[in-house]
Amino acid sequence: MIRILLIILIALLLGTGLALGLQYDLGYIRISLGNYLIETNFWIGLALLVLLVVASVLAINLFRRLRHGTGMVAGWLARSNERRARRRTTQGLLALAEGNWPRARKLLTSSAEHADTPLINYLAAAQASFESGDHEAVDELLRKAFESTPGSDMAVGITQAQLQLAGNRLEQALATLVRLRKQAPHHPFVLKLLKNTYVRLEDWRELSRLLPEIRKRNLMESEELGNLERLVWHNLLQRAAEECRRQSGEPSASLEPLTKLWDELPGFLRRDEHTIREYARLLADLGDEAQAETLLRKVLRNHWGDELVNLYGRVKGLKPDEQLLVAEQWLKDRPNNAELLLALGRLSLRNELWGKAREYFETSLRLRRSRETMAELSRLNAHMGEGENSVKLLMQGLVKDSGLPDLPMPKA
């Protein structure tokens, strides 16, 4: 109330002062602009000047408000686009999860430009395109993903490699992963993908170089890694043996490719029963049965294995009689080992001890009904003139392998 009274009072004072001032003639204002001449009373000129200043101030304020209003409209439009992009992104991801590949790709690509994370949109759209079989679109979307987000090379590259592997484009996947490994030599997922690629390409040599890094980083369970290493080196041993066979016609041919590779094997594999058996078998197949026998004898002295002793009975050492004596020494500690008795029977045949061989075979057969032992005994009986026993054993082996049920039979 007091403020209003003060305003009224000031207005009255100004009005009174203006009325008194008008009684005095302060002259006139004359403005010349080229051919134009403007003359006016001082008070009217002053009023016009005040009006001009007020109009200028109002115009400036109006312009500022319009600019601010335009920014608000632009901000509102931007926020609206972002909300729409988030909604369409969510719909696109749902379509991807439901397997609706065309809809997923359309929603994700159309909303990528205004999305908070365009990288996710493009990568998911690339996945949808891959599932649709459009590989050209996959490459284009991955390129856009890379361009949309600085520092996304690793994420885009891993996605690209995964899609290439899923599409069985193994050589392209390998090139992508090798490039990524140069950027991040110890990246766990890149190493895993690279391992899978080498396995599918059967590139055992490169995989053998990668496995120590995988073991160092604990990227696989110990048992799984051991099986993979065994698979890798067994394949390398077989390839080395094939190389020896290819060189067999050459004057300087030797077992060097195989023996050299054996020296490269990790220590735990050179103590592994299956690996030792594979190496000894390859040596024997390549004609060096003496070296195979020596190796097996050393191993069996400290580490027993039924598969190893079976192979020991098959190979021919430099001294067959001494080989038989060594095996008979083992029998003292393992009198009921059917596999050792089978090996002794074969070693007895090697020394032309027919009766002893049959005795060993029969003892082994009593301990375990093995088709292999039946076949050996049947063959021996046939050569010893006991055809009836030979046929009987062959029939027993045939019935055993056929899985026939146990049924009553007529008496002979």
Side-chain angles (χ1 to χ4, degrees):
M1 186 67 180
I2 297 175
R3 183 180 297 174
I4 296 173
L5 292 174
L6 287 174
I7 292 173
I8 294 172
L9 180 59
I10 292 171
L12 290 173
L13 291 174
L14 289 174
T16 304
L18 185 59
L20 293 173
L22 289 173
Q23 294 178 2
Y24 297 96
D25 184 7
L26 298 179
Y28 61 93
I29 297 174
R30 184 177 182 179
I31 301 174
S32 177
L33 294 173
N35 297 325
Y36 298 96
L37 181 65
I38 301 173
E39 292 184 357
T40 182
N41 184 276
F42 172 80
W43 294 107
I44 295 175
L46 181 61
L48 291 174
L49 180 62
V50 171
L51 288 174
L52 180 62
V53 172
V54 171
S56 300
V57 171
L58 291 175
I60 292 172
N61 288 334
L62 179 61
F63 176 73
R64 289 178 177 176
R65 290 195 177 190
L66 286 174
R67 279 188 57 187
H68 182 66
T70 303
M72 291 179 63
V73 172
W76 178 82
L77 290 174
R79 287 191 295 272
S80 178
N81 288 334
E82 290 175 0
R83 286 193 298 270
R84 187 181 302 107
R86 281 195 291 268
R87 183 172 63 253
R88 292 174 69 86
T89 298
T90 302
Q91 293 172 349
L93 292 174
L94 288 174
L96 182 66
E98 294 169 358
N100 191 344
W101 317 124
R103 174 174 168 78
R105 174 183 167 184
K106 180 180 178 181
L107 289 169
L108 290 166
T109 52
S110 63
S111 58
E113 185 177 351
H114 300 290
D116 296 330
T117 53
L119 177 66
I120 301 300
N121 286 59
Y122 285 125
L123 292 181
Q127 174 71 35
S129 297
F130 170 79
E131 298 293 349
S132 300
D134 191 349
H135 296 294
E136 291 185 4
V138 170
D139 295 335
E140 177 64 17
L141 288 166
L142 289 174
R143 182 186 63 79
K144 289 182 177 180
F146 172 73
E147 293 174 351
S148 70
T149 308
S152 62
D153 186 39
M154 186 61 64
V156 174
I158 287 176
T159 302
Q160 184 178 30
Q162 287 179 298
L163 295 179
Q164 288 168 338
L165 284 172
N168 207 35
R169 296 188 292 171
L170 302 180
E171 296 293 344
Q172 293 176 348
L174 178 60
T176 301
L177 290 168
V178 168
R179 174 176 60 82
L180 292 176
R181 194 184 180 199
K182 288 180 180 178
Q183 297 177 11
H186 309 302
H187 194 288
F189 197 47
V190 171
L191 293 175
K192 284 186 177 181
L193 290 175
L194 198 55
K195 179 263 296 182
N196 294 338
T197 306
Y198 284 139
V199 170
R200 292 175 62 178
L201 286 170
E202 295 186 356
D203 192 341
W204 309 117
R205 173 51 70 183
E206 287 300 324
L207 190 52
S208 70
R209 298 188 180 105
L210 182 66
L211 286 175
E213 182 71 16
I214 291 177
R215 178 179 288 279
K216 181 180 179 181
R217 303 289 167 185
N218 294 320
L219 300 181
M220 295 175 65
E221 294 292 334
S222 179
E223 182 178 356
E224 182 185 3
L225 179 58
N227 291 334
L228 179 59
E229 287 182 306
R230 190 176 293 112
L231 173 67
V232 168
W233 288 102
H234 283 198
N235 278 281
L236 287 174
L237 286 170
Q238 290 171 10
R239 289 189 178 180
E242 291 174 3
E243 185 179 349
C244 293
R245 292 188 185 98
R246 287 195 297 270
Q247 297 176 358
S248 59
E250 300 178 7
S252 60
S254 68
L255 298 178
E256 184 180 357
L258 183 61
T259 55
K260 184 178 179 181
L261 183 65
W262 174 257
D263 294 334
E264 294 180 21
L265 262 67
F268 82 96
L269 280 177
R270 279 184 290 183
R271 297 187 296 272
D272 176 69
E273 177 181 343
H274 301 290
T275 307
I276 293 170
R277 184 183 185 280
E278 181 67 12
Y279 178 59
R281 183 188 67 80
L282 292 172
L283 285 173
D285 289 346
L286 291 170
D288 197 346
E289 293 187 77
Q291 185 175 346
E293 188 271 334
T294 301
L295 172 65
L296 290 170
R297 184 191 301 188
K298 289 180 180 179
V299 173
L300 286 167
R301 191 175 298 161
N302 302 310
H303 178 78
W304 186 262
D306 284 351
E307 290 186 359
L308 295 178
V309 80
N310 181 287
L311 182 59
Y312 188 77
R314 291 172 176 268
V315 301
K316 180 182 179 181
L318 291 175
K319 298 178 179 179
D321 55 340
E322 182 180 326
Q323 189 176 352
L324 175 60
L325 289 174
V326 169
E328 286 179 332
Q329 290 296 319
W330 295 336
L331 187 63
K332 294 178 182 179
D333 297 326
R334 299 171 180 83
N336 297 320
N337 189 293
E339 205 66 63
L340 176 57
L341 289 165
L342 171 61
L344 283 165
R346 286 169 168 162
L347 294 174
S348 297
L349 291 177
R350 186 87 64 188
N351 287 276
E352 300 183 3
L353 301 173
W354 319 124
K356 179 179 282 192
R358 180 161 64 179
E359 182 180 346
Y360 280 133
F361 288 145
E362 289 175 346
T363 305
S364 176
L365 202 56
R366 284 195 297 269
L367 293 170
R368 187 185 66 191
R369 303 293 289 182
S370 162
R371 180 181 65 177
E372 194 177 358
T373 308
M374 286 182 183
E376 285 287 11
L377 184 56
S378 174
R379 181 172 64 172
L380 178 59
N381 285 335
H383 283 80
M384 293 180 71
E386 300 181 10
E388 184 177 348
N389 288 335
S390 176
V391 172
K392 184 178 180 181
L393 283 168
L394 286 175
M395 288 298 297
Q396 289 176 354
L398 179 63
V399 170
K400 180 177 183 293
D401 292 339
S402 300
L404 299 178
D406 188 12
L407 299 172
M409 292 290 156
K411 299 293 184 181

